[in-house]
Amino acid sequence: MAAGGYESWFVSAREPGGRRALWIRHTRHEPASGAPSASYWCTTFDPEPAAVKQILATDDTPGNPDSFEGTATWGGHRSSWSLRVASDEPTLRPLRPSVLYRLPLPRTKVEVPVPDGTISGTVDVDGRRWAIDRWRATVGHNWGTEHAEQWIWLHAAEFTGPVTWVDLVLARVRVGGRLTPWVCSGSVRIGAHIFALGGLGRRARVETLTDSGATLAIPTPGGHLDIEVALKHTAALTYRDPSGSTRHVRHTASATMEILTNGRQSTTTTGAAFEVGSRETDLPTLDLPLED
């Protein structure tokens, strides 16, 4: 990672049939000027969110897709975790065409080492231990020089209906002073097949986006997916760019999602994670430290 960049590995998981969920990030941050740092983030939902973040004077974090281990302490709160990841799904590189991984734009690159898997292990939150046994999970990996101007990320599994899982990111970037339309990249598994979503030239529609949910129309090779998300128990956080600018993030790890594809509906009541990030916000954020 050259000077002026960041890298993040994260795991998002939900308790089967339960109300608890978690979102853990291991990040590296190298500012355009100044010393590099690493940070551990742990956000739990039980069902209300609680978050801890610790910044370390090193650039030796983030992690790998097979396990997540760490400790974070902030503001009198402490979390620690030791988690193992299992999956039979292939790694996905959703940006299309693949040459985008070698070009300056987009400034954030994404891949999905575990689009659908399970985690097992323990998470301790202020002395309370969560024993985690095969929670449904996804692992993501992001890196780049700048966060998008706006983005939406979602992942969901545990559907009733034909969809097995879906992983999707939509983004708008600023080029020449103008904000681009929404561009999406991702994949959906329906039965035995994984289908690509979005890509350049296939414009997604964000029909509604509020504090309580979103309605999206996502292009596929054979039509489109209609996705409706209902949010609750949202954590509001702040990311810092290598340039020093910030993005304000709202994240929930246990949303409700409905997907309509080819006239067939798939629904999950607690198996969806959803995140919205942007430069602007009027929402209060959790008091966590920011990288220099």
Side-chain angles (χ1 to χ4, degrees):
M1 185 177 66
Y6 73 93
E7 182 180 16
S8 172
W9 291 79
F10 69 85
V11 59
S12 175
R14 281 143 293 285
E15 181 180 25
R19 70 177 194 170
R20 296 183 299 176
L22 61 86
W23 170 45
I24 290 172
R25 298 177 72 229
H26 296 181
T27 68
R28 287 195 299 154
H29 180 87
E30 188 157 336
S33 61
S37 64
S39 58
Y40 288 116
W41 306 58
C42 180
T43 306
T44 55
F45 298 80
D46 189 21
E48 295 292 336
V52 179
K53 175 187 177 184
Q54 184 165 359
I55 299 175
L56 308 172
T58 176
D59 60 356
D60 194 30
T61 302
N64 63 73
D66 301 319
S67 64
F68 284 77
E69 295 193 19
T71 300
T73 302
W74 175 255
H77 299 282
R78 183 181 187 276
S79 294
S80 62
W81 52 94
S82 178
L83 300 167
R84 301 174 306 280
V85 183
S87 177
D88 295 326
E89 295 283 17
T91 295
L92 303 177
R93 302 198 97 195
L95 295 183
R96 299 178 183 88
S98 60
V99 70
L100 292 174
Y101 285 96
R102 302 191 297 274
L103 297 178
L105 292 176
R107 297 184 180 94
T108 291
K109 313 301 183 186
V110 298
E111 68 176 8
V112 190
V114 179
D116 186 43
T118 61
I119 62 168
S120 298
T122 57
V123 174
D124 288 282
V125 183
D126 288 338
R128 294 178 292 109
R129 172 160 290 195
W130 292 10
I132 294 172
D133 182 20
R134 289 172 293 180
W135 286 20
R136 201 77 172 263
T138 182
V139 174
H141 181 208
N142 306 328
W143 67 95
T145 58
E146 184 182 39
H147 292 94
E149 195 75 11
Q150 294 180 313
W151 73 86
I152 297 171
W153 170 81
L154 64 86
H155 177 89
E158 298 184 74
F159 284 99
T160 58
V163 172
T164 303
W165 55 259
V166 61
D167 193 277
L168 180 67
V169 62
L170 299 89
R172 303 178 75 189
V173 299
R174 195 170 294 280
V175 179
R178 293 189 175 186
L179 201 58
T180 67
W182 288 101
V183 176
C184 72
S185 300
S187 299
V188 60
R189 177 181 279 282
I190 301 176
H193 302 286
I194 297 176
F195 299 95
L197 300 176
L200 293 178
R202 294 177 176 171
R203 185 173 297 182
R205 297 198 313 275
V206 178
E207 296 174 344
T208 62
L209 181 60
T210 69
D211 295 341
S212 59
T215 305
L216 314 173
I218 307 300
T220 69
H224 63 276
L225 301 182
D226 294 315
I227 301 177
E228 185 171 344
V229 186
L231 307 179
K232 56 183 178 180
H233 308 306
T234 300
L237 309 169
T238 303
Y239 294 173
R240 187 183 291 282
D241 263 338
S243 66
S245 63
T246 57
R247 301 293 187 275
H248 302 285
V249 178
R250 288 174 287 145
H251 186 104
T252 183
S254 54
T256 296
M257 185 179 297
E258 293 183 356
I259 297 179
L260 188 66
T261 175
N262 296 327
R264 301 179 65 187
Q265 182 170 296
S266 301
T267 303
T268 180
T269 56
T270 58
F274 188 87
E275 177 177 296
V276 177
S278 68
R279 191 181 296 270
E280 305 296 334
T281 186
D282 56 1
L283 297 175
T285 58
L286 296 177
D287 183 22
L288 296 178
L290 290 178
E291 297 85 353
D292 292 330

